[in-house]
Amino acid sequence: MTFDLVIKNADIQTASDRFTADIGVTGGIISEIGQTLDAKGAKVLDATGLRVVPGGIDVHTHLDMPFMGAVTADDFKTGTEGAAAGGTTCLVDFAIQAPGEALQTGVDNWHKKADGKAVIDYGFHLIITDLPESRVPEMDAIVEQGIPSFKLFMAYKGALMSEDDAIFRAMRRTTHNGGMVSLHCENGHTVELMVKEALADGNTTPEWHALTRPLACEAEATNRGIALAEMSKAPLYVVHLTAAEALEAVRRGKRAGLPILAETCPQYLYLSHEDYRRPGFEGAKFVMSPPLRPKGNEKALWKGLNDGTLSTVATDHCSFCYELRPGTKMGKVLGKDDFSKIPNGAPGIENRMQLMWDAVAKGLISAEKFVEVTAANPAKIFGLYGKKGTIAVGFDADITMIDPNKPYTISAKTHHMNVDYNPYEGRTVAGTIKEVLLRGQPLVENGTLSSSLPKGQFIKRAKYGETLWGQTPVKSSALSFTGV
Ligand code: DUC
Ligand code: ZN
Ligand code: ZN
């Protein structure tokens, strides 16, 4: 066998195993894993001293997204460069169907945004905002294009929110077309009322964003979403789960044998409601939905990761600058006098792998769990497995190498994302992302973003319950509701 690249002495970590071997790459695909591969004529990368893990897969990002009168600061260029620098080699971004628009239009718009700009591989989910009965069949064509997942919002009344009948319609269709619905679970009706009351009482500061979206607001919606999934006999993926009570609802659903899957994000594991009380207007940097939760809530999330109730850690990367961006009217400061006008969202795409590896170093999760929630499960759930999500022969050579002995300090001064703050500013994590490969091509070399970055490809994902073995969709043995 001849190779284009051989990674020598790799301390390989997958979701199930750790072993030392050489990795041979041919045509961007892992072609052999063995003890002493012959590297004659191949480029050689010596991984001695590094931990070698599958490239991260972030299944929840919002790049180049118009939202709340602003547009996110990161587009597919800066967002994927940030992702690459942080060891993420594939993402699934949310395309949006605007109200009144055909579903296909939302997808077409997102292809235009990403094509030629992304430096890592990517897929899309589709956010549905308007689903009368007459539009439901349009979902089938979207699934057939390799976009088998849809997101509907139970919050953001008057903008993104869907009522229960639309959610139910979407879920029922997925039982026929091989798609899956994911839900943003917050009760948009109570949020609207509580926000109005808070403002009428003169409560305008960022902390009120969280006070008007309490834990029960998320728990109620999560319970309702699970009930809708049960009635429609459809799988459900709960995005950005934060509240312990919502986690309990997922746990109950799983125990009852329902195909319910859930994700959390690093911000809900590492940050808390106290960040809203930072001096001045700084709390606005943490205004996102659902909001950060009171200290102590995160313990339930770590437990949920470890016992499998939570299957994935994604970022919900949705970056808005803090200051007004020159020449635009976009920035968190839009809500200086009214918290409800602060664009919701925070950056994180670059820091997810570092923060979760830090959890390994601190003993909060195992190295196997790290790979499971950052790469393997995202790939299995979202139809990428067989191509992405582990280090094995036949898979894309998407590989991240971490120096576990070199701490790294997170800062907006050094990050690659196009945003003027970092929610984790000054935090030192246990490892440094040293080398990152996308289909064998360098994204990060010796800790620095490569000067000649590869072109990211749109990945046609397999339907729910299928994988991309040999790059062709087949029924999966990899996905089980207890396993992920
Ligand atoms: N939450 C956010 O904070 N921003 C984008 C959308 C979302 O669900
Ligand atoms: Zn959401
Ligand atoms: Zn989101």
Side-chain angles (χ1 to χ4, degrees):
M1 174 94 58
T2 54
F3 306 109
D4 306 323
L5 168 71
V6 175
I7 304 167
K8 282 272 170 199
N9 310 310
D11 179 356
I12 300 168
Q13 180 71 59
T14 70
S16 57
D17 301 297
R18 179 179 180 182
F19 55 97
T20 303
D22 297 346
I23 304 171
V25 179
T26 311
I29 291 178
I30 298 171
S31 49
E32 195 169 337
I33 297 176
Q35 288 306 316
T36 42
L37 297 188
D38 181 356
K40 211 177 323 129
K43 183 179 164 188
V44 174
L45 236 170
D46 186 1
T48 303
L50 305 178
R51 296 296 293 272
V52 178
V53 299
I57 302 175
D58 188 346
V59 291
H60 190 152
T61 66
H62 300 281
L63 299 176
D64 205 353
M65 180 179 81
F67 190 49
M68 294 182 72
V71 179
T72 53
D74 282 300
D75 63 9
F76 275 84
K77 179 177 185 298
T78 62
T80 58
E81 285 177 1
T88 288
T89 53
C90 183
L91 58 79
V92 188
D93 197 73
F94 285 93
I96 304 185
Q97 172 225 14
E101 200 170 73
L103 300 189
Q104 188 63 49
T105 308
V107 169
D108 293 345
N109 287 341
W110 245 257
H111 275 297
K112 282 181 210 134
K113 286 172 190 274
D115 189 26
K117 278 193 167 178
V119 303
I120 66 172
D121 287 349
Y122 60 93
F124 300 138
H125 315 278
L126 180 65
I127 291 174
I128 296 179
T129 60
D130 187 8
L131 194 70
E133 194 62 55
S134 57
R135 222 181 255 302
V136 172
E138 293 178 27
M139 292 173 72
D140 303 358
I142 306 300
V143 173
E144 293 303 324
Q145 290 161 46
I147 303 174
S149 43
F150 303 91
K151 180 181 180 186
L152 285 88
F153 284 75
M154 301 170 102
Y156 295 115
K157 197 170 167 187
L160 300 172
M161 185 169 125
S162 291
E163 295 292 351
D164 292 351
D165 55 351
I167 295 170
F168 194 51
R169 277 197 279 276
M171 284 176 166
R172 289 215 284 201
R173 194 71 181 190
T174 62
T175 64
H176 302 296
N177 65 19
M180 177 171 65
V181 164
S182 60
L183 282 179
H184 173 127
C185 297
E186 288 184 295
N187 184 321
H189 298 287
T190 63
V191 170
E192 186 192 45
L193 272 172
M194 290 179 79
V195 167
K196 269 193 191 143
E197 282 170 10
L199 292 173
D201 290 344
N203 296 314
T204 60
T205 60
E207 187 180 1
W208 283 88
H209 170 76
L211 296 174
T212 54
R213 309 176 95 103
L215 293 155
C217 171
E218 182 186 343
E220 182 281 325
T222 308
N223 274 293
R224 182 158 38 101
I226 292 171
L228 292 170
E230 184 177 6
M231 285 189 280
S232 56
K233 301 188 170 48
L236 167 65
Y237 180 85
V238 178
V239 294
H240 51 43
L241 186 146
T242 79
E245 293 88 335
L247 184 74
E248 222 24 72
V250 172
R251 193 172 276 130
R252 274 196 305 276
K254 278 178 171 293
R255 279 203 191 122
L258 300 174
I260 310 296
L261 301 157
E263 148 198 298
T264 194
C265 312
Q267 56 269 34
Y268 303 117
L269 295 164
Y270 285 101
L271 306 172
S272 80
H273 184 101
E274 285 175 24
D275 289 299
Y276 294 118
R277 299 190 177 142
R278 291 195 188 199
F281 187 61
E282 225 196 310
K285 293 177 178 174
F286 305 91
V287 166
M288 63 188 80
S289 294
L292 301 179
R293 298 308 189 182
K295 267 214 162 104
N297 180 77
E298 79 287 352
K299 291 198 184 83
L301 300 181
W302 287 114
K303 182 168 183 303
L305 283 172
N306 280 312
D307 71 16
T309 309
L310 294 168
S311 298
T312 60
V313 175
T315 59
D316 198 7
H317 175 86
C318 185
S319 56
F320 296 101
C321 282
Y322 180 61
E323 304 290 351
L324 272 192
R325 309 208 72 197
T328 74
K329 290 206 169 62
M330 296 171 199
K332 293 277 187 182
V333 289
L334 286 173
K336 193 120 186 104
D337 303 315
D338 174 350
F339 70 87
S340 73
K341 296 201 166 71
I342 301 169
N344 284 202
I349 204 168
E350 187 163 345
N351 306 118
R352 179 184 68 125
M353 298 286 277
Q354 302 158 342
L355 288 163
M356 294 313 292
W357 185 261
D358 195 55
V360 176
K362 288 192 165 72
L364 290 162
I365 56 171
S366 66
E368 287 77 13
K369 181 61 78 174
F370 167 85
V371 174
E372 185 183 306
V373 299
T374 60
N377 279 350
K380 289 175 185 175
I381 294 168
F382 290 103
L384 292 160
Y385 208 67
K387 187 173 173 66
K388 302 196 182 281
T390 193
I391 295 175
V393 171
F395 278 62
D396 285 356
D398 295 355
I399 295 172
T400 290
M401 302 181 213
I402 303 168
D403 184 342
N405 297 313
K406 193 168 178 215
Y408 179 82
T409 301
I410 298 171
S411 173
K413 292 192 192 84
T414 49
H415 73 202
H416 300 77
M417 302 176 288
N418 184 32
V419 58
D420 61 359
Y421 76 97
N422 190 303
Y424 307 98
E425 184 69 38
R427 186 181 291 256
T428 298
V429 290
T432 295
I433 306 294
K434 200 69 193 296
E435 309 283 337
V436 184
L437 302 171
L438 173 72
R439 288 178 270 106
Q441 303 162 79
L443 285 165
V444 173
E445 295 172 281
N446 198 19
T448 304
L449 205 57
S450 170
S451 54
S452 139
L453 290 163
K455 186 171 161 5
Q457 291 176 354
F458 171 72
I459 307 290
K460 242 183 120 180
R461 294 181 290 120
K463 292 176 185 171
Y464 179 74
E466 296 184 355
T467 50
L468 290 171
W469 290 111
Q471 324 291 300
T472 310
V474 290
K475 280 280 169 236
S476 171
S477 56
L479 183 65
S480 82
F481 303 117
T482 44
V484 293

